[in-house]
Amino acid sequence: MAPYEPEQDTSETGDLRAGRRKAARYVVPLAVAGVAAATIGLVPALATSGDPDLPKITAKELIEKIAASDTQQLSGNVKISTDLGLPSMGGMAGGFAGGGAGGGDDGDGKGSAADPKSKLMELASGTHTLRVAADGPDRQKLSVLDDAAEYSLIHNGDDVWAYDSASNEAYHAKDAGAGDSSGKGADKDVPKDLEGELPATPAEFAEQALKAVDGTTSVQVDGTAQVAGRDAYRLVIKPKQSGSTVGQITVAVDAKTGTPLKFTLTPSSGGAAVVDAGFTKVDFGKPSASTFDFTPPKGAKVTEADDHADGKHGAKGGNAKGGKEFKEEDLNDLKVVGEGWSTIAELKLPGGQGLPTAGSGDVPPDAQKLLDSLGDQVSGTFGSGTVFSTRLINALVTDDGKVYVGAVTKDALVKAANAAQ
């Protein structure tokens, strides 16, 4: 079956759209890796058996079927496996959220174990079992199931609750989407990871991948599958260009509803999937209203998100340790080079200096040894630098303080750095 080729638009409006699509094509591969923990929550894992005999459908028709799907209600079980080639995040996740192991500092330096900013980071590695439910845009629930504990994230109307049974701690925020449709009437102090709805639905996640579809992408229907007992078509998205670390994205699409049931991203280097997420059981009926009810258990420690804005968890623009909050303007002289799946972001480190080098005295010798072991030394007409790699995202930091990053190979980064001279 011939692959789907998107139509070209040469008008001025088309140029603007192309610009937006170019930005989206850069964001999508990075989002798949860097935001997997926060956005994959309701995206399901695979339970495939058999190849059902379904009517023929073109890639264009299947994409249109996904776009027309309006699944508002579902419940089921999800299995998600993520392998970025990084050590297991585990308890380290909170360190990336700021303020200690729990994410936000509550005054004792420990933070809340229920804070989603740290807890959902655990989904960035390993295999996890989830239970999900949704009833329209105002009610969703995601539970991460462990052997002896459960972590739940519940959105019910104006309230967002998170509860960690292992520590008997709860986290509460007001939905930033409450108020008018633009969100202008919302509480601006709600953490960014709790704004609006809970993590993206399967359809929303697949939509992000489809934003990368253009002339640099091959899209085709590659047979059928059965996911969680439901017949599905397999939509395969592949970069046409060389140099990308993305091998292909496969979306299993429910033949009846058009709802994506499974999302798999495999790297060009082969081996296990970087992300393999999909339903093992799914029901498109209306979940019970009680599914989304939550009251903190007796004795539970409750942290309010509002506390993050009044100094109890660190003042705005910083954190409890005095660190500076990251802002978009900190991306010094950001440039986007290349196109499609081989797009690379180029920026400068603050101060225009590269990483510490041996003998510089900037870091202790043991720390320098660890830093050196994490990357590969490279050189070219740009000088020299260090490449830090995962199975999906690679970054080159040059000795003169430039950074080249993208879902591309190490060789592609070196070539971009040489071309920039």
Side-chain angles (χ1 to χ4, degrees):
M1 184 175 293
Y4 166 62
E5 296 288 354
E7 297 180 359
Q8 302 297 317
D9 187 344
T10 58
S11 66
E12 181 177 354
T13 300
D15 291 339
L16 293 174
R17 291 173 178 167
R20 296 191 189 100
R21 287 197 300 268
K22 183 175 182 180
R25 292 196 301 273
Y26 167 62
V27 170
V28 168
L30 297 182
V32 167
V35 196
T39 61
I40 235 172
L42 299 181
V43 184
L46 176 65
T48 301
S49 61
D51 296 316
D53 186 13
L54 296 173
K56 298 296 182 182
I57 189 172
T58 67
K60 182 179 180 180
E61 290 170 339
L62 187 54
I63 291 173
E64 291 172 347
K65 190 177 185 69
I66 296 172
S69 177
D70 189 29
T71 300
Q72 295 286 320
Q73 300 167 338
L74 64 80
S75 59
N77 294 340
V78 169
K79 181 180 179 182
I80 174 172
S81 297
T82 309
D83 182 6
L84 296 172
L86 296 170
S88 176
M89 299 298 289
M92 295 190 300
F96 293 96
D105 186 355
D106 61 3
D108 59 8
K110 296 182 179 180
S112 171
D115 190 337
K117 290 192 298 296
S118 60
K119 193 66 180 181
L120 292 182
M121 279 293 292
E122 295 179 11
L123 298 182
S125 64
T127 298
H128 303 271
T129 300
L130 314 176
R131 185 167 55 237
V132 301
D135 182 13
D138 294 327
R139 283 176 291 278
Q140 303 97 31
K141 182 176 181 179
L142 161 69
S143 296
V144 183
L145 309 179
D146 294 326
D147 292 338
E150 179 175 323
Y151 176 83
S152 293
L153 190 57
I154 307 110
H155 175 206
N156 192 353
D158 293 345
D159 293 295
V160 177
W161 283 97
Y163 177 67
D164 179 48
S165 67
S167 61
N168 195 28
E169 293 191 29
Y171 187 93
H172 178 241
K174 285 294 182 181
D175 178 14
D180 61 33
S181 59
S182 68
K184 294 179 180 179
D187 180 355
K188 296 181 181 180
D189 294 329
V190 175
K192 290 294 289 184
D193 57 350
L194 292 182
E195 288 186 4
E197 301 179 11
L198 292 188
T201 65
E204 290 168 337
F205 197 78
E207 181 182 0
Q208 292 303 309
L210 290 173
K211 286 180 180 178
V213 174
D214 69 348
T216 69
T217 312
S218 166
V219 185
Q220 61 186 43
V221 179
D222 185 18
T224 63
Q226 194 170 75
V227 180
R230 297 187 65 89
D231 293 346
Y233 293 101
R234 296 177 72 252
L235 184 69
V236 177
I237 303 169
K238 292 182 180 181
K240 290 182 178 180
Q241 305 158 300
S242 62
S244 174
T245 54
V246 177
Q248 71 176 40
I249 291 173
T250 304
V251 182
V253 183
D254 186 77
K256 184 176 181 180
T257 67
T259 304
L261 298 174
K262 174 194 177 286
F263 180 95
T264 302
L265 188 155
T266 53
S268 57
S269 59
V274 173
V275 177
D276 186 13
F279 282 109
T280 57
K281 182 171 68 174
V282 64
D283 184 342
F284 289 102
K286 180 181 177 68
S288 169
S290 62
T291 301
F292 310 102
D293 292 339
F294 179 78
T295 301
K298 184 178 180 179
K301 173 186 173 182
V302 179
T303 299
E304 292 288 341
D306 287 346
D307 293 343
H308 287 266
D310 62 12
K312 295 180 182 178
H313 294 258
K316 294 180 182 179
N319 56 42
K321 295 183 179 182
K324 181 182 177 182
E325 179 181 325
F326 177 80
K327 297 180 180 179
E328 187 174 350
E329 53 264 33
D330 291 334
L331 295 175
N332 297 318
D333 300 324
L334 174 64
K335 298 179 182 178
V336 178
V337 296
E339 62 176 351
W341 297 88
S342 298
T343 302
I344 296 172
E346 175 190 341
L347 62 153
K348 295 179 181 178
L349 290 175
Q353 296 181 344
L355 298 172
T357 56
S360 66
D362 293 335
V363 296
D366 289 344
Q368 182 68 56
K369 183 181 294 186
L370 175 62
L371 182 63
D372 292 341
S373 69
L374 294 176
D376 297 326
Q377 302 301 309
V378 295
S379 60
T381 57
F382 65 88
S384 59
T386 305
V387 174
F388 299 93
S389 301
T390 71
R391 298 180 67 221
L392 188 65
I393 303 300
N394 292 323
L396 165 61
V397 182
T398 66
D399 289 346
D400 62 356
K402 290 185 178 179
V403 179
Y404 300 86
V405 60
V408 298
T409 63
K410 178 173 67 175
D411 290 342
L413 291 176
V414 172
K415 182 178 179 180
N418 285 334
Q421 301 306 306

